[in-house]
Amino acid sequence: MSAATSPSSLASEQPFARGAVLALLVVGAGLFIGLLWFLGHVGPPANNGGGHGAGRGLNGYAALAAMAEADGFTVARTRTQAAMEQPGVLVLTPLPDTDGKTIASIVDKRRHIGPTVVIAPKWQAGPLEKKLDKPRGWTRLTGFALPNWPGFADDVRVTLNQGKGYRAHGWRTADGRHGPLPDDEKVVSGTGQALVPLVTTGDGQVLAAYRDDNGRYPALDALADVETPTVLAAGDDDDSEALADGPDMERQPLVLVFEPDLFDNYGLANRQTAMLALDVLRAASANAGSKQITFDLSLAGLGGRPNLLTLAFEPPFLAATVGLILALLAVGWRAFCRFGPPRVGLAAIPPGKTTLVVNSAGLIRRAGRLHLVSGPYADALRERLATRLGLRRGAPAEQTDALIDAHLARVNPDSMPFSHAIAQLAAARRPHDAVRAAAALHALEKDLA
């Protein structure tokens, strides 16, 4: 015999330990948040054969980034323009058809943040054939693509020097250093009135320079072998205060590299060229006071477009995202630390014989036909008692009732005769009378048991 569960009973055991449930929730929430972040920030693979700081092909600058990191610089690669506002040197490697106004806007914002190195494109590159079985990102050079950036440095002209019999005779610096170029017959140079040459060809063409914008850049001046302007003492001239404290003193240099083979993987295969590229970065960073170099990937075609997921993890929306996460954690913790175990609810259809009897009785009562079950109930009770007392089964009801009355008189002389209780049940027409007569028969059955 089993006892029915009451609605107010409480669960005595939990299927999982509290620590396991808490760990599952925390890990799941963390993974979900991480998934949202990666969906909003992860872009195409960086090593795609492009001319940028993560490219490992001939036209890429991964070797320059690795060399700078080995020299003690903190190297970062960014796909967003927001990260370009960090201090230190910013290396831009725009595509040939990048909007010049976008480049100019980035450079202008950084004039009081940190130095900017803009490397002009030169090579058109394509992936190697798969049958060559070379590492991912390796490229082959297929042609030329010079920069077309109207709106940025419009006073500077970029030229591809080539032709029958032309040779650049490598590169030169003002202090006498020199080295070879990987393709001495096809060299890109620049011309402009505000350019201070840092590296030239053997025949005097400018390969790299910085803009003369009235700023003071001692390290770059030393590399270019030009005299650094001195600051006038106070009172020596009416403009001394402007020179000493004006915005020109805070300007950061802009270095223009017209020949990318001075910095790309193709050219850095030569030791002298690699040391030259590192010296240019050192001279540019000397003005920043920071040993950090950021290689931009966005202008090289790897920039991520803003969407709802990226905005949710960036200021000023980051504060709302963090607040929402904390609110969800508070609600989850409050639900986790509830007052006691949860109540056990009853099943919609409880199992067992008791349920079957209760449902059947409810159906009979609702139908108003309780008097129709009185006869079958009396017959079933008579059969049970006859079997228990060892009487002949199948005998007439009057004979069986008389034998049961006799046995009941010996057991409990004060009890109501069985035949009398059966007659009361048969005569009952109201549900109350039928239930009272059935209860009396049930009591007699208990006495005989």
Side-chain angles (χ1 to χ4, degrees):
M1 182 177 293
S2 61
T5 305
S6 64
S8 60
S9 62
L10 299 179
S12 59
E13 297 182 359
Q14 297 290 343
F16 299 101
R18 290 173 60 89
V21 175
L22 182 60
L24 183 64
L25 292 175
V26 171
V27 172
L31 292 177
F32 180 69
I33 295 174
L35 174 64
L36 293 180
W37 188 90
F38 279 108
L39 287 177
H41 289 77
V42 175
N47 184 24
N48 61 351
H52 46 72
R56 296 181 179 272
L58 291 174
N59 58 323
Y61 302 93
L64 179 63
M67 187 171 60
E69 192 169 16
D71 193 55
F73 285 92
T74 301
V75 177
R77 299 171 181 84
T78 177
R79 296 175 183 250
T80 62
Q81 294 187 12
M84 300 181 190
E85 300 180 3
Q86 299 297 324
V89 179
L90 174 65
V91 179
L92 298 178
T93 55
L95 296 174
D97 57 350
T98 299
D99 185 9
K101 295 180 180 179
T102 301
I103 304 175
S105 175
I106 296 173
V107 172
D108 291 341
K109 288 181 180 179
R110 290 191 53 81
R111 294 316 296 269
H112 302 290
I113 298 177
T116 306
V117 178
V118 180
I119 305 178
K122 172 183 178 180
W123 298 109
Q124 287 181 333
L128 292 175
E129 299 178 4
K130 294 183 179 180
K131 62 182 181 181
L132 296 179
D133 193 24
K134 295 297 182 180
R136 176 184 176 89
W138 283 29
T139 58
R140 58 186 179 88
L141 305 180
T142 60
F144 303 96
L146 297 185
N148 182 23
W149 302 331
F152 171 68
D154 292 329
D155 59 329
V156 176
R157 181 179 179 183
V158 179
T159 306
L160 176 62
N161 302 287
Q162 62 175 345
K164 186 177 180 180
Y166 174 80
R167 295 187 65 84
H169 303 290
W171 56 265
R172 300 284 187 276
T173 61
D175 59 1
R177 287 188 295 171
H178 60 85
L181 291 170
D183 192 337
D184 205 53
E185 299 177 357
K186 300 178 181 64
V187 179
V188 178
S189 63
T191 55
Q193 294 182 353
L195 297 180
V196 178
L198 295 172
V199 186
T200 62
T201 62
D203 57 356
Q205 301 292 327
V206 179
L207 301 181
Y210 74 88
R211 290 187 69 93
D212 184 6
D213 51 9
N214 298 325
R216 297 186 65 250
Y217 316 123
L220 289 173
D221 290 338
L223 189 61
D225 196 18
V226 298
E227 184 178 354
T228 302
T230 57
V231 180
L232 298 177
D236 289 347
D237 190 89
D238 293 339
D239 297 331
S240 60
E241 184 176 354
L243 285 173
D245 301 323
D248 289 342
M249 302 305 299
E250 300 176 1
R251 280 184 178 273
Q252 297 295 331
L254 169 63
V255 179
L256 301 175
V257 180
F258 305 110
E259 176 51 69
D261 288 342
L262 295 176
F263 280 64
D264 60 19
N265 303 331
Y266 195 14
L268 263 60
N270 177 266
R271 177 178 176 81
Q272 288 85 357
T273 305
M275 293 297 101
L276 171 67
L278 193 57
D279 285 343
V280 173
L281 291 181
R282 289 170 179 165
S285 65
N287 240 68
S290 171
K291 295 282 286 184
Q292 178 172 339
I293 297 180
T294 302
F295 286 84
D296 168 62
L297 306 183
S298 63
L299 298 183
L302 295 178
R305 296 182 178 180
N307 53 57
L308 291 178
L309 290 179
T310 56
L311 292 176
F313 291 94
E314 294 178 359
F317 304 103
L318 179 60
T321 302
V322 173
L324 179 60
I325 293 174
L326 293 177
L328 292 176
L329 290 177
V331 172
W333 180 255
R334 183 65 185 85
F336 188 77
C337 297
R338 59 191 298 169
F339 293 103
R343 291 180 178 273
V344 178
L346 293 177
I349 303 178
K353 298 178 180 178
T354 303
T355 302
L356 179 61
V357 172
V358 170
N359 291 341
S360 301
L363 178 61
I364 295 172
R365 182 176 181 181
R366 179 174 290 273
R369 297 294 187 268
L370 187 59
H371 62 280
L372 298 180
V373 300
S374 300
Y377 176 76
D379 295 338
L381 181 60
R382 184 182 293 109
E383 290 295 328
R384 289 201 305 270
L385 293 177
T387 301
R388 184 174 298 174
L389 298 176
L391 304 178
R392 183 170 65 88
R393 301 184 61 183
E398 294 79 4
Q399 183 179 355
T400 302
D401 292 347
L403 293 175
I404 294 174
D405 287 343
H407 184 77
L408 186 59
R410 291 194 299 272
V411 174
N412 188 4
D414 297 331
S415 64
M416 178 189 300
F418 179 75
S419 57
H420 184 61
I422 285 288
Q424 286 183 348
L425 180 61
R429 288 295 178 268
R430 293 184 303 176
H432 179 73
D433 297 337
V435 171
R436 185 171 56 182
L441 284 173
H442 182 67
L444 293 177
E445 184 180 11
K446 291 178 61 176
D447 292 340
L448 292 175

